[in-house]
Amino acid sequence: MAEAMPLRRSLPTKPASHPLLLANIGQLLTLRGKAPRRVPEMKDPGLVEDAAVLSVDGKIAAAGKWKEVAKHPALKAQRKKLEEIDCRGKVVLPGFVDSHTHLVFAAPRLVDFEKRITGASYEEIAAAGGGIRSSVEGVRKANVKALAERALAALREMAAQGTTTVEAKSGYGLEAAAELKSLEAIAEAAKRWPGTMVPTLLGAHVVPREFLGKPEKYLREVTEKMIPQAAQRKLARFVDVYCDRGAFGLEDAVRLFEAATRHGLGVRAHVCQLTSTELWPLLRFQPASFDHLDHVVDEDIPQLARRGTVATLLPGANYFLGLEQYPPARKLIDAGVAVALATDYNPGTSPTPSMPFVLSLACTHMKMTPAEAIAAATINGACALGLGASKGSVEAGKDADLAVFEVEDYREVPYWFAAQRCQGVVMGGRYFPGGGR
Ligand code: NIG
Ligand code: FE
């Protein structure tokens, strides 16, 4: 697929007017080179010590050993305007790309949370009237402004943890007006947040109550109303589908992907979260990403390894649902699949804004190394959004989106779990201490 056009920054988030130098960096992780990263490159974070990063007009002008960066002509020419951040004893890496979030919802689902604690499963709770459908009424009633405010608060929490690019899905409106309203809220939040957002239409999350027993009819709402309108109004870059037991089937997903493709939108899918689904019928649409993959069929893995489709693993959901099994990261990575990690931020299965926590889960429960987890959360996340050419690594010409961590060794990023070690982020060449909260 062609590079996705993310929603652009606008006031008060215009690109930096002055150059920015991150100086004296203890460890810089560049992640430069081939993208997406697979084995063996995934194990190499492109570490440079005694490093610096210079950004001019929102783009990286030079990055690497300080001795090299120091030669850049802009340093001398713009000396007076230069803003300098001292990163002595710190780690700098590409800002995290959180490539899977359900950013727009109206309220947490605390009843589901308590029911699960007393033994009910995610699917039992959904069948009893909780789950995704119980988030719908709140979104239908809310106005764009309220939804955007809530989204913006979450984006700030994400940035405080090192995230600078966020994919944001609709999916709790489940009728054309409320799905488009959710996408408008994403566009509104994107205008006000200095990071980058990629909007996704997830009209096919589940069949809403009023269409129960008539899934075909609801699918037509998605393919004939939501997809054309979202495309025409440029409110979405991708179409997603929840393809699993209790949601949509493989044939439904094919129809959605056909409609998305007809309207020039990219595709991605929630697959194999609860049950196994064959992936080959969807592969011909060149999905940017398959997400969850807990129950991926072994025979599909070599197919995935040969393609550009990224496998996005979401261990926050396994953690929050209290599951013993986690997505099979080792099997996928060792077979050569490009693996990404994302939060799956949502009110039902993964209410966390924290990429560092997700990295920690990936290391402790999925046996990914810290270097693999960081590659999955940066350059591979960027590729999962079609943004591999502009995001996810620290290389001249790319967007100046960076995270500064108050740790001496990059392996401490996933090591200190549920901690707050992110000092600040650079988004579009501007430095935001504390992520701008
Ligand atoms: O990625 N599984 C489908 N969608 C979300 C859950 C959404 C919800 O429960 O509200 C997920 O886990
Ligand atoms: Fe999800």
Side-chain angles (χ1 to χ4, degrees), residues 30-327:
T30 65
L31 280 299
R32 67 187 160 210
K34 253 201 233 162
R37 265 170 142 75
R38 305 171 193 264
V39 279
E41 299 88 22
M42 221 181 155
K43 298 190 183 302
D44 170 18
L47 190 150
V48 184
E49 293 183 326
D50 304 316
V53 182
L54 173 67
S55 129
V56 178
D57 295 332
K59 302 275 178 203
I60 295 167
K65 281 276 179 206
W66 164 237
K67 271 192 230 147
E68 294 305 313
V69 175
K71 293 178 193 157
H72 196 280
L75 268 182
K76 219 179 192 175
Q78 305 201 43
R79 183 93 242 158
K80 285 203 187 113
K81 286 202 279 174
L82 188 73
E83 179 186 351
E84 195 172 317
I85 311 285
D86 184 12
C87 299
R88 195 175 302 273
K90 293 177 186 157
V91 170
V92 172
L93 66 158
F96 294 126
V97 178
D98 191 347
S99 59
H100 181 138
T101 84
H102 302 253
L103 192 68
V104 185
F105 56 87
R109 292 219 300 272
L110 304 174
V111 174
D112 292 16
F113 183 44
E114 283 195 317
K115 277 191 178 168
R116 242 185 341 269
I117 292 165
T118 52
S121 74
Y122 182 66
E123 286 181 274
E124 284 162 358
I125 292 166
I132 296 167
R133 285 186 196 95
S134 63
S135 285
V136 169
E137 196 187 335
V139 168
R140 288 186 182 173
K141 279 192 183 148
N143 60 30
V144 175
K145 189 166 173 279
L147 293 173
E149 285 297 337
R150 210 185 163 93
L152 202 53
L155 290 165
R156 291 189 179 125
E157 281 189 279
M158 291 172 180
Q161 300 272 358
T163 299
T164 55
T165 295
V166 174
E167 183 258 13
K169 305 176 199 295
S170 65
Y172 295 109
L174 306 185
E175 64 182 12
E179 284 295 308
L180 293 163
K181 177 174 70 181
S182 301
L183 293 173
E184 284 167 16
I186 293 168
E188 178 60 29
K191 272 193 214 159
R192 293 162 58 193
W193 186 58
T196 301
M197 292 182 71
V198 177
T200 295
L201 171 69
L202 177 56
H205 203 177
V206 287
V207 175
R209 280 199 188 107
E210 62 275 21
F211 283 90
L212 280 176
K214 295 173 277 185
E216 284 290 310
K217 209 166 164 212
Y218 181 64
L219 211 58
R220 283 204 298 277
E221 289 287 303
V222 183
T223 56
E224 292 171 17
K225 289 189 188 155
M226 298 180 202
I227 292 176
Q229 289 184 42
Q232 203 245 330
R233 296 176 56 196
K234 298 201 181 339
L235 284 171
R237 274 293 309 142
F238 290 99
V239 168
D240 194 347
V241 52
Y242 181 22
C243 183
D244 217 319
R245 187 165 64 200
F248 293 90
L250 205 49
E251 282 174 22
D252 303 331
V254 167
R255 280 178 49 199
L256 285 156
F257 278 13
E258 278 167 355
T261 308
R262 260 200 315 278
H263 288 90
L265 299 177
V267 294
R268 50 200 320 109
H270 285 70
V271 284
C272 306
Q273 180 181 13
L274 308 169
T275 57
S276 292
T277 305
E278 287 174 321
L279 298 178
W280 63 264
L282 301 179
L283 275 170
R284 72 182 160 97
F285 296 95
Q286 299 181 304
S289 162
F290 282 138
D291 301 44
H292 285 289
L293 293 172
D294 295 57
H295 299 278
V296 64
V297 185
D298 281 350
E299 291 71 50
D300 280 336
I301 294 178
Q303 287 257 35
L304 274 177
R306 280 196 291 274
R307 301 193 181 235
T309 300
V310 173
T312 303
L313 309 182
L314 309 165
N318 303 63
Y319 167 80
F320 190 70
L321 296 180
L323 305 182
E324 272 164 33
Q325 292 293 318
Y326 278 73

Side-chain angles (χ1 to χ4, degrees), residues 63 138 166 314 325 339 406 413 422 424:
V166 174
L314 309 165
Q325 292 293 318
V339 164
E406 282 178 293
V413 173
C422 180

Side-chain angles (χ1 to χ4, degrees), residues 22 25-29 47 87-93 374 403-413 421 423-424:
L22 300 191
I25 301 170
Q27 290 190 342
L28 169 67
L29 305 189
L47 190 150
C87 299
R88 195 175 302 273
K90 293 177 186 157
V91 170
V92 172
L93 66 158
I374 288 171
V404 182
F405 273 78
E406 282 178 293
V407 293
E408 286 186 5
D409 185 306
Y410 74 87
R411 292 171 295 183
E412 292 178 76
V413 173
R421 292 299 185 115
Q423 173 190 298

